[in-house]
Amino acid sequence: MNFTSYPTFNFYKSRMMLLCIFAFILSFNSMAQFPSSAIDKAYDAMSEFDYFRARKYFFNTLDKKPVLAGFGLADILQRGDNPFFDLDSAFILTEYALSSFPKAGNSERKLMVKYSVDSSAVLKLANTISDKAFKISTASMSIDTLNNFIAVYKDSPLKVRAIIIRDSLAFNNIIQSGSSSDFKSFIDTYPDSRLRADAYERMHLAEYHENTTEGDKESYQKFVETHPLNPYVINAYEQVYKLEVSDESDLSQLKSFINENPENPFVEDAWQKIYDAFFKKNYGNSAIQQFKKQYPDYPDQEELDVEYILSTTDFLPVWQNDGWGFMNNRGEVLIEPKYSSVQLFSEGLAIFEIDGKLGFINKKGFEIIPAIYDDVEDFHNGMAIVSKDGFSGAIDRAGRLVVPLLYDEISDFENGMAAASKDGMFGFIDHTGGLVIPHKFDEAGSFNHGTALCELDGLMGIIDSTGAVIVPFKYESLENFKSGVARFGIDEMVGIVTNTGKILVEPIYDEVGLFLNNRAVVIKDRKLGYIDLSGQVVIPLKYYGGINGLAKGSFKNGYAIVRSNGKYGLIDTLGKLVLSPVYEDMYPVEDGQVALKSRGKWGIYNLDNKKDLNGFIYDAVKIASTERFIAKYKGKWALFDLAGKKILPAEYDFIEYILPGLFLIEIADLKGICDNNGKILVLEYLKSVDVVMNKYVMLSSDDKVLWFDSEVQQMIELEK
């Protein structure tokens, strides 16, 4: 665009200069008179494309006919077929013409009608001029040209677009350099730009990179000190954390970072990682106490105190208002009963069900893991197996899916590893889901003390945590190691192998029992004897080893039941007869008492004082404790002390010892519990009676749940 092509008016430099010139023209023309037909002559000249003559007539009538003359001059200047082409001046003349409408005289108004010049026509011409100028300005891609358009065409609807293009052009120019000073200059020059926020963002990022090129702790810390308001300060803090904590599982690194960088906001994350790692496998009151002792500067001591109180509080499932929740042993509701079902807490979290889906809740009542899974298992060693849409994975205590939902089946994690099946084959994964041992086994069990029992091509073997074979895959049957040895079967014979793979006992026996009291029962050709941990026979195979030989013959509490000539007796670990084999039947020794059967009746014999109680008068007996035994007499069960005194009469259909000083009783359709002295504590129409936490008894019916605290020997009443 040539802004100096019109020598009479220099509109480009200043609109005020233009107005001064117009004022001069008006004063000059007040001294001369032009014929009223000057406008007609101007339009005649325009029709003949005589722009010189038309310009002369329009120019000389600006004072008398400002609307028509301004409009006509603008039309000449915006045309590209004459030497007077000047869009900026043309646009200013349209503004002059529009501002002159109120002072147009009658003679001018008549001519305006004649030549169809009204405000719409002037605006249309102004928009045409603006469009032309906009195209030229944007085609130039010059910031100066666009700035001129924005200044001159301030009332044009295209001004906003011009500003956007100008700002984008200026912004793109400085992006190439990317320096913080360039972005700062852009912000100062164009304070109202839509790109201002982006410029600030890039300026801050450039400042961050310019000041931390060394990539060391000192440069990041200096940046924090010198640019405290820069949003990338958090990145500098994070880099300091990463430089000092290369292994987030190393608690000593995390603690060192905390000690050396107390103002760093990532200290909170470091503490959280220490907390999560510490309680990953061990959660409870003793673990909390240990944590407080090991980390006395942990910032949220009050939270630990709350956790400790909650960890020592028993949460008992309670049914109320058609929902399950939890109460404490004082009957106070701790978690609102609103769930379809709940299970006992494990490692500080409990399974809850709602709308057919399962999740986990903590003891504060927060749904830490939402109910999104089809099936879940209790937390074990900081991990819980979860299933959804037919696939299984594992989550940690924070609910993070650390093992993706990819597997058909996953066992509990032991020693950081779990058996996992995929496409029908088993392998082993670690706690991140990484495949440690390939999926090549038909079956696989959990690791136990560094070894796992597996099946390959129909044969059993044992591997270690690296996948190395400890016991070859050649056995028809095999058990996991117990006390360093395992029983195996081959060709229907049983032997024993050690955890080094060495054969301790050749497969020469029909049956081999577990080692109990350092003795294992062995049976061969229906003869029963005992071997020690070295595999040597220490009690000869001279007793009957037929039906129930293995079950009856295992040592318990230092004694084993043996059978000879159709009768039962009792031996000690040296093989010495304690009771001669003269009894029809016998139960294992409990608390120095042994149940014996003679002449069709049962009695209790005390091994310490070598006396029986009440003789052989019972249909059946069960030794309950050091103080009580249960006996069936004339078809009903009764409770006795060890002196033979009757505690409960023989009128019950069932009696069973369930907790110290507590017995389950059933009579007709009623179930309940009684204490050690025969006092009936509860007797109602109940569906089930269950022992919980080795301390409480949960008594359930169709419409209610009752709880009994065995330690204080009283019912727990739910608060209303």
Side-chain angles (χ1 to χ4, degrees):
M1 187 188 307
N2 183 4
F3 296 111
T4 61
S5 61
Y6 187 38
T8 307
F9 300 109
N10 191 358
F11 295 113
Y12 171 65
K13 292 186 177 180
S14 170
R15 297 182 64 193
M16 288 301 295
M17 185 181 293
L18 179 65
L19 294 175
C20 290
I21 294 171
F22 287 163
F24 170 76
I25 293 170
L26 291 175
S27 64
F28 174 80
N29 281 298
S30 64
M31 297 182 289
Q33 296 296 322
F34 291 92
S36 60
S37 61
I39 292 296
D40 293 321
K41 292 178 180 179
Y43 274 101
D44 287 342
M46 285 285 287
S47 66
E48 296 172 358
F49 302 103
D50 187 351
Y51 297 119
F52 284 91
R53 190 161 56 91
R55 172 178 170 275
K56 174 184 175 183
Y57 287 123
F58 282 134
F59 187 79
N60 289 332
T61 56
L62 269 174
D63 60 333
K64 298 294 185 180
K65 305 292 187 291
V67 175
L68 288 168
F71 179 80
L73 284 170
D75 191 15
I76 292 171
L77 297 179
Q78 65 91 25
R79 297 189 183 195
D81 56 353
N82 66 77
F84 309 115
F85 181 72
D86 186 345
L87 292 175
D88 292 352
S89 299
F91 187 78
I92 295 173
L93 281 165
T94 60
E95 291 184 321
Y96 175 73
L98 284 171
S99 66
S100 299
F101 268 88
K103 55 185 178 182
N106 290 333
S107 61
E108 184 176 18
R109 290 184 182 277
K110 290 178 181 179
L111 288 170
M112 288 164 58
V113 173
K114 178 180 178 180
Y115 293 107
S116 301
V117 178
D118 55 13
S119 59
S120 297
V122 178
L123 285 172
K124 182 178 180 181
L125 179 60
N127 288 336
T128 299
I129 295 167
S130 175
D131 287 346
K132 289 181 179 180
F134 181 76
K135 290 177 181 177
I136 293 172
S137 298
T138 54
S140 72
M141 295 303 286
S142 164
I143 293 175
D144 289 339
T145 304
L146 288 164
N147 277 333
N148 178 76
F149 179 88
I150 294 164
V152 173
Y153 301 87
K154 61 183 181 59
D155 296 325
S156 170
L158 294 170
K159 177 185 175 182
V160 173
R161 289 178 61 190
I163 290 173
I164 292 173
I165 295 171
R166 186 271 316 272
D167 292 356
S168 296
L169 182 61
F171 194 70
N172 288 333
N173 287 342
I174 63 172
I175 284 178
Q176 303 304 318
S177 70
S179 70
S180 60
S181 59
D182 284 344
F183 288 114
K184 179 66 167 58
S185 176
F186 176 88
I187 294 166
D188 294 339
T189 305
Y190 308 110
D192 299 322
S193 173
R194 295 184 179 184
L195 295 170
R196 185 169 181 266
D198 196 1
Y200 265 116
E201 171 69 19
R202 291 174 182 267
M203 181 187 74
H204 290 141
L205 181 59
E207 285 178 344
Y208 173 67
H209 287 307
E210 291 165 2
N211 287 274
T212 60
T213 54
E214 297 297 325
D216 55 15
K217 179 180 177 181
E218 290 70 23
S219 64
Y220 290 118
Q221 288 182 326
K222 185 176 180 180
F223 175 78
V224 170
E225 295 169 3
T226 56
H227 298 78
L229 300 181
N230 189 304
Y232 283 90
V233 162
I234 192 65
N235 296 66
Y237 278 127
E238 183 180 15
Q239 290 304 315
V240 172
Y241 171 78
K242 289 181 177 179
L243 286 170
E244 298 203 355
V245 183
S246 58
D247 181 3
E248 291 184 330
S249 65
D250 187 339
L251 302 192
S252 62
Q253 284 190 27
L254 290 166
K255 189 61 173 68
S256 177
F257 167 78
I258 290 169
N259 294 340
E260 295 179 11
N261 304 274
E263 302 301 322
N264 192 309
F266 282 85
V267 163
E268 183 177 347
D269 290 347
W271 273 122
Q272 187 62 51
K273 286 179 170 57
I274 290 174
Y275 181 93
D276 291 343
F278 191 92
F279 292 110
K280 182 176 182 180
K281 294 184 178 180
N282 186 20
Y283 180 85
N285 57 333
S286 60
I288 293 172
Q289 286 180 316
Q290 185 181 351
F291 184 86
K292 286 170 68 71
K293 182 179 180 181
Q294 190 168 337
Y295 300 103
D297 54 339
Y298 180 71
D300 203 346
Q301 291 291 326
E302 290 185 3
E303 181 68 16
L304 281 179
D305 292 338
V306 171
E307 289 284 349
Y308 179 80
I309 292 171
L310 291 175
S311 71
T312 57
T313 300
D314 291 331
F315 279 63
L316 308 176
V318 61
W319 172 263
Q320 189 180 53
N321 300 326
D322 296 326
W324 284 94
F326 290 91
M327 69 176 183
N328 60 18
N329 57 8
R330 295 187 299 276
E332 299 166 336
V333 174
L334 302 177
I335 297 176
E336 179 188 354
K338 60 180 180 180
Y339 299 107
S340 303
S341 68
V342 294
Q343 296 185 26
L344 293 174
F345 276 87
S346 174
E347 297 187 7
L349 296 170
I351 299 170
F352 73 90
E353 178 185 3
I354 192 165
D355 296 330
K357 297 292 184 179
L358 302 170
F360 288 86
I361 193 171
N362 69 8
K363 287 190 172 183
K364 295 177 183 177
F366 297 138
E367 295 176 5
I368 299 297
I369 299 160
I372 60 174
Y373 296 107
D374 302 325
D375 192 21
V376 298
E377 297 180 15
D378 281 327
F379 272 88
H380 180 70
N381 289 333
M383 306 277 279
I385 310 304
V386 296
S387 300
K388 188 176 182 180
D389 300 328
F391 292 97
S392 296
I395 58 175
D396 62 14
R397 285 172 43 81
R400 292 182 290 260
L401 194 64
V402 292
V403 177
L405 295 164
L406 298 174
Y407 300 99
D408 303 324
E409 183 181 346
I410 302 178
S411 71
D412 282 336
F413 279 84
E414 299 287 352
N415 305 119
M417 295 175 65
S421 67
K422 195 173 184 180
D423 299 327
M425 300 300 288
F426 281 82
F428 289 87
I429 58 175
D430 62 19
H431 65 279
T432 67
L435 187 63
V436 180
I437 299 173
H439 296 92
K440 62 180 181 180
F441 302 107
D442 303 326
E443 295 287 344
S446 297
F447 271 92
N448 182 25
H449 299 295
T451 62
L453 180 65
C454 300
E455 180 181 338
L456 183 64
D457 297 330
L459 296 175
M460 308 298 295
I462 294 177
I463 62 172
D464 66 15
S465 58
T466 68
V469 176
I470 302 300
V471 177
F473 287 86
K474 64 179 183 179
Y475 300 110
E476 298 163 1
S477 63
L478 183 64
E479 296 178 341
N480 224 330
F481 291 115
K482 293 181 178 65
S483 302
V485 296
R487 296 179 291 182
F488 68 86
I490 188 169
D491 296 332
E492 298 185 357
M493 302 301 286
V494 183
I496 298 177
V497 63
T498 69
N499 54 12
T500 63
K502 178 183 177 182
I503 300 295
L504 179 68
V505 176
E506 294 291 340
I508 60 174
Y509 297 106
D510 299 319
E511 293 184 76
V512 177
L514 295 174
F515 278 99
L516 299 169
N517 299 134
N518 297 324
R519 297 287 185 268
V521 60
V522 291
I523 298 174
K524 185 177 182 180
D525 299 330
R526 294 201 171 193
K527 293 295 183 180
L528 181 149
Y530 296 87
I531 60 175
D532 62 14
L533 289 172
S534 69
Q536 297 299 311
V537 175
V538 290
I539 299 176
L541 282 72
K542 62 180 182 179
Y543 298 106
Y544 176 73
I547 299 174
N548 293 329
L550 196 65
K552 284 271 192 184
S554 294
F555 272 91
K556 186 177 182 181
N557 297 321
Y559 299 95
I561 299 170
V562 293
R563 185 179 179 186
S564 180
N565 298 321
K567 300 292 184 178
Y568 290 94
L570 196 67
I571 63 173
D572 62 18
T573 56
L574 297 177
K576 180 182 178 181
L577 278 172
V578 177
L579 291 175
S580 298
V582 296
Y583 299 99
E584 297 167 8
D585 204 350
M586 185 180 294
Y587 290 154
V589 174
E590 296 284 354
D591 299 313
Q593 319 290 326
V594 58
L596 305 172
K597 184 179 182 182
S598 179
R599 298 181 182 180
K601 294 294 182 179
W602 286 85
I604 300 293
Y605 182 83
N606 188 301
L607 292 174
D608 295 329
N609 59 27
K610 297 180 174 51
K611 292 182 179 179
D612 58 52
L613 305 176
N614 298 341
F616 296 89
I617 61 174
Y618 306 110
D619 300 327
V621 294
K622 293 184 287 186
I623 298 171
S625 67
T626 56
E627 299 177 337
R628 301 288 184 266
F629 72 92
I630 303 164
K632 193 173 187 180
Y633 186 70
K634 295 183 179 179
K636 295 292 183 179
W637 290 92
L639 181 64
F640 296 85
D641 65 17
L642 292 186
K645 180 182 177 181
K646 191 179 294 183
I647 306 298
L648 278 179
E651 58 186 37
Y652 293 90
D653 299 321
F654 184 76
I655 300 177
E656 185 178 26
Y657 171 84
I658 54 175
L659 283 172
L662 214 57
F663 296 85
L664 167 66
I665 55 175
E666 294 182 14
I667 182 170
D669 294 328
L670 302 176
K671 291 183 180 180
I673 52 177
C674 73
D675 65 14
N676 215 35
N677 298 316
K679 179 182 178 181
I680 307 298
L681 303 171
V682 179
L683 192 61
E684 298 190 18
Y685 292 100
L686 300 171
K687 289 177 61 177
S688 63
V689 177
D690 301 295
V691 175
V692 178
M693 303 179 201
N694 292 319
K695 176 181 177 181
Y696 300 100
V697 181
M698 182 179 180
L699 307 107
S700 306
S701 66
D702 289 328
D703 58 353
K704 63 182 177 181
V705 175
L706 303 174
W707 285 91
F708 183 83
D709 188 336
S710 67
E711 289 188 350
V712 296
Q713 291 284 300
Q714 66 181 26
M715 298 296 298
I716 301 173
E717 299 293 335
L718 179 63
E719 285 188 346
K720 303 298 183 182

